[in-house]
Amino acid sequence: MFAVHLVAFYFTKLKEDQIKKVDRFLYHMRLSDETLLDIMARFQGEMERGLAKDTNPTASVKMLPTFVRAIPDGSENGEFLSLDLGGSKFRVLKVQVSEEGKRQVQMESQFYPTPNEIIRGNGSELFEYVADCLADFMQTKDLKNKKFPLGLTFSFPCRQTKLEEGVLISWTKKFKARGVQDTDVVSRLTNAMKKHKDMDVDILALVNDTVGTMMTCAYDDPYCEVGVIIGTGTNACYMEDMSNIDLVEGDEGRMCINTEWGAFGDDGSLEDIRTEFDRELDLGSLNPGKQLFEKMISGLYLGELVRLILLKMAKAGLLFGGEKSSALHTKGKIETRHVAAIEKYKEGLANTREILVDLGLEPSEADCIAVQHVCTVVSFRSANLCAAALAAILTRLRENKKLARLRTTVGMDGTLYKIHPQYPKRLHKVVRKLVPNCDVRFLLSESGSTKGAAMVTAVASRVQAQRKRIDQVLALFQLTREQLVDVQGKMRAELEYGLKRKTHPLATVKMLPTYVCGMPDGTEKGKFLALDLGGTNFRVLLVKIRSGRRSVRMYNKIFAIPLEIMQGTGEELFDHIVQCIADFLDYMGLKGAQLPLGFTFSFPCMQTSIDKGTLIGWTKGFKATDCEGEDVVDMLREAIKRRNEFDLDIVAIVNDTVGTLMTCGYEDPNCEIGLIAGTGSNLCYMEEMRNIELVEGDEGKMCINTEWGGFGDNGCIDDIRTQYDTEVDEGSLNPGKQRYEKMTSGMYLGEIVRQILIDLTKQGLLFRGQISERLRTRGIFETKFLSQIESDRLALLQVRRILQQLGLDSTCEDSIVVKEVCGAVSRRAAQLCGAGLAAVVEKRREDQGLEHLKITVGVDGTLYKLHPQ
């Protein structure tokens, strides 16, 4: 028993001694947490430099846009081909993706060799070889004479300007084919495929292997937004906000960025970390001074680093009794697979002896322990460096999303990560230590980046098909110049019908005389009361006007009109109004004052004088009974009498549009038109008396309240109304009425958007095809949301937040589509309003017989004031 303990003690002591010896020798390769945090910060700075237009040309980390804008959502389906060129083998793959709610992928693949004479020969021969292999695969699998979309995984740095195009920046790893640099590899391969007449293949996507890895894993886990490869080479990609990518037009959505992190340090920023062995390895490589970060990490170089260290230690007499073999002097004799075998948990030491003997060495027990520890130090440093750069990416993702804590998945691939027994565990542990505020899942890409290229192609096909259907819907709202001129002409005709006695009863644009015959001239003075009823709020104002200085002072109070009053009896409505007036007079200390009063009443009225107005019909959600066909001024006088507390002199009843015209006319004598673009939509203007057949007299002008909201009620603009307009109209309080208003005013735009969103969701183009209960609710999508969503300053994150308030769990892509829908609806509203206004302006010009008219339009209304565009 004692002998066993003695042996154990001897072995433990021997191990400790050897480890200390190696640690002293490789002191510079041990990186502290502090150093790793420093490297992480440096890499964050490099990412910034790569993304910014001004600094990108000199940045070592190139941050290349990939034009991959979406990850799989599970609805992809179809058959795709995929090629993978970039490693020691070349792979062709056929991928069958089926949706039916089951994310299923079936694959058939074939590997082809990449002989040295091909990958280091002439570029054209390389692409011909690839095309021949593809033709062979299609022949074997009986796929000829059938059309296939293809994704090409090309694991070298490329500058892309679109998804299906990429100009090679430089070869890496062992590739050196001539005449390919600075050319588009997709067109090179397309040309090579033309020689095979029976092959119908369309290259839809060029992706880097890292992007392929991310997409493969994202198909299985929608949280995946980072891809990392640690294999022959090393690289990472992740989903970046478009607003941060200077090199690509547009701020909407996200795009996958291929970092090309292997070149980190090429500008000298890692010199303090690099050791003499790194420098020696670099000098002997195919690309000295390039890919310095990769040379400290990836599988192509780890074995060689170990060889250089062992050689130096042997020369110093620290290993093999100072003996060296010719194999130990030979470049490339120790490979990464040897390093992985040496670090195996139980059989590691036996493997070490076997490998060293194969190298012509005679190792002692102590030598085997020391060599094993050298491998550990080298591969541990590799995992540490990788972790620091990955932690920088994860931090950036978290900050982009403005989250205190990030939940995400990293898709992993690469031979070193897969075959090295300790590597994954070490990498995961260090990443979690460096970013404690990120919950990271590491997902191994089961079928490599080739499947990923097929996934990118599948997503590109899906996005293409979806985009086409979305565009078809949006096209319904895009009015041509011809259509707008047609609207202008029809509006002009309706204005004429409304003015003529004979055609007035049938006119949709009622052209109501207001009996307002003059504009303010600045001599007005005194104290006046004003009431404003026209929406959900009712306003009472005291207005003091001083003459000569055009000075107006106003005091007002706003009162709510509850729904039960809006839709109760007329008597209740006017009693409520009088109660509000009483409160205001009390509040202002004016009880008993006899003031002239003007009543802004924003509903269509037939007037026979300035203080008489018969309500034609309610709009904007009002439904009070016993009012239509009655004089509203009399109804107000009756209510004041019933109250019997004060007496007011009601001098004028005006429409809100007329009020707007007069307010602006007080400031600008050129103002002859008043326009409201708010809850409702309407326009008034000063018309020549000779044109108004409904009123006696030909001299001077009178303001006409067009009530143009009813334009189109006779079907004259049905050619530009959509199914969504019909749905909104049918669900409104007054179906078939106010059709123009329903296409242009604030009360309805949000509802049109809601109808479109429901339709797109039913088609599976939004919100993963799930219609939330809130989205089914009429009126939930208020026009104020439209204004917020279309604000230039609003990032997509905020758009998503607004949609979340509406119970809609939206992706980045959903948010872009919602923003486009809002834009299409509000742009059409503004254009239709503009076409109507053009008809009035043109009429004024012709009536005055002018070549050129200078006129001011007074505008009011929440839609005009609050909508950013």
Side-chain angles (χ1 to χ4, degrees), residues 67-73 76 215 222 239-242 252-256 459 462-463 466-467 470 757 760 765-768 796-797 799-800 803 809-821:
F67 294 84
V68 170
R69 296 168 189 265
I71 59 172
D73 67 359
E76 295 75 17
M215 294 299 269
M239 295 301 286
E240 176 61 86
D241 290 0
M242 280 289 288
E252 302 299 357
R254 303 201 299 167
M255 184 182 282
C256 179
V459 171
R462 163 176 69 80
V463 170
Q466 287 178 339
R467 188 68 251 178
I470 291 165
L757 298 187
L760 292 177
L765 303 172
L766 273 183
F767 311 130
R768 303 180 179 86
L796 280 181
L797 263 171
V799 175
R800 285 175 78 172
L803 293 172
D809 180 23
S810 70
T811 62
C812 205
E813 288 69 41
D814 290 340
S815 306
I816 294 173
V817 174
V818 170
K819 199 166 177 176
E820 286 183 84
V821 169

Side-chain angles (χ1 to χ4, degrees), residues 37 59 96 100 168 232 234 306 315 337 368 373 398 426 457 509 589 596 599 605 679 701 718 732 799 811 822:
L37 286 166
Q96 167 101 40
E100 277 74 69
L168 177 66
T232 315
T234 180
V306 168
K315 281 179 180 169
R337 65 189 170 93
C368 290
H373 193 57
R398 186 180 62 75
R426 290 170 186 166
T457 311
V509 179
F599 187 10
C605 283
T679 313
K701 294 179 193 171
D718 280 1
S732 69
V799 175
T811 62
C822 291

